[in-house]
Amino acid sequence: QQPVQSPQAVILREGEDAVINCSSSKALYSVHWYRQKHGEAPVFLMILLKGGEQKGHEKISASFNEKKQQSSLYLTASQLSYSGTYFCGTANAGGTSYGKLTFGQGTILTVHP
Amino acid sequence: DSGVTQTPKHLITATGQRVTLRCSPRSGDLSVYWYQQSLDQGLQFLIQYYNGEERAKGNILERFSAQQFPDLHSELNLSSLELGDSALYFCASSGRGVGETQYFGPGTRLLVL
C-alpha cells in the first residue's frame, strides 16, 4: 500500500515556506524524498532512517516520526527552482524489503515570482 | 547528473513487439531497481537486482523480465507490448540497498502505438 502525501498541490510566492507530509500505514525503515520536474528523473533530496539519522540537502529539512510512520519535508524561503513534483518513497521495516521504495502519489509545488 | 545511464532515451514501437531497455548503475553500486511511471499509476516499483541476483519483485507483469549482468549493467525486457505499457521507465542504483540513497537515471520514454 502506497504512502499518502498531503497536500496534493501547493502554490507559493518566492520566499514563502511550505510543508509536505507523507504518511504510511506500515512500519517504516526509511523515508526518501525526491523532486521531479516534468519529463525528467526524480532527483534525490533527503533520506531519513529509523533511529533518526538524516542525510540530505542543505536548504531542505525533514522530520521522521517513527511511532506515527509519518514524515514531513520542510521547504523554507522557496525559490523558483523549487517548483516540481515532490515524492516520498518509503522502505518498510522487516527482512524482505531489501530497500525497494513505495512512492506516494506526489505533491505538485508551484513557486511564482 | 546522477551517474546512472539509460538507453535509449526514447522508444516508439507497435503493439505486440518486444523491446529491451538498458541501464548502467553508478560506479560501485551493486543494486539496480526498475520503476515504471505512468500518468495514472505514478512511480511503481518493478524489480530489484543485487550483484547479479534478483532480490525483490514488485508489480511486474509476466510479459516483463529483467536481468543484471556480471558487469552490473541491467536490462529490462518488455514483450507482447500493449498500449497501456506506454510510460517512463526509470532505473535507479544504490550500494547494498536498505537505507541507502537510490539515484535515478534519466529514464526511457516508451510509446506503444
Side-chain angles (χ1 to χ4, degrees), chain A residues 28-49:
Chain A
L28 299 178
Y29 180 80
S30 61
V31 180
H32 306 230
W33 286 96
Y34 291 84
R35 176 172 59 219
Q36 184 180 30
K37 298 201 184 258
H38 184 69
E40 298 181 5
V43 173
F44 168 73
L45 295 175
M46 176 80 67
I47 181 173
L48 301 106
L49 304 175

Side-chain angles (χ1 to χ4, degrees), chain A residues 82-110:
Chain A
Y82 283 12
S83 294
T85 301
Y86 289 76
F87 291 97
C88 68
T90 57
N92 294 341
T96 59
S97 71
Y98 300 116
K100 71 177 185 184
L101 298 180
T102 303
F103 284 92
Q105 79 280 17
T107 295
I108 301 172
L109 182 78
T110 306

Side-chain angles (χ1 to χ4, degrees), chain B residues 90-110:
Chain B
F90 289 108
C91 162
S93 75
S94 72
R96 293 185 303 108
V98 178
E100 296 196 9
T101 300
Q102 293 183 25
Y103 292 94
F104 280 73
T108 293
R109 184 176 293 278
L110 174 66

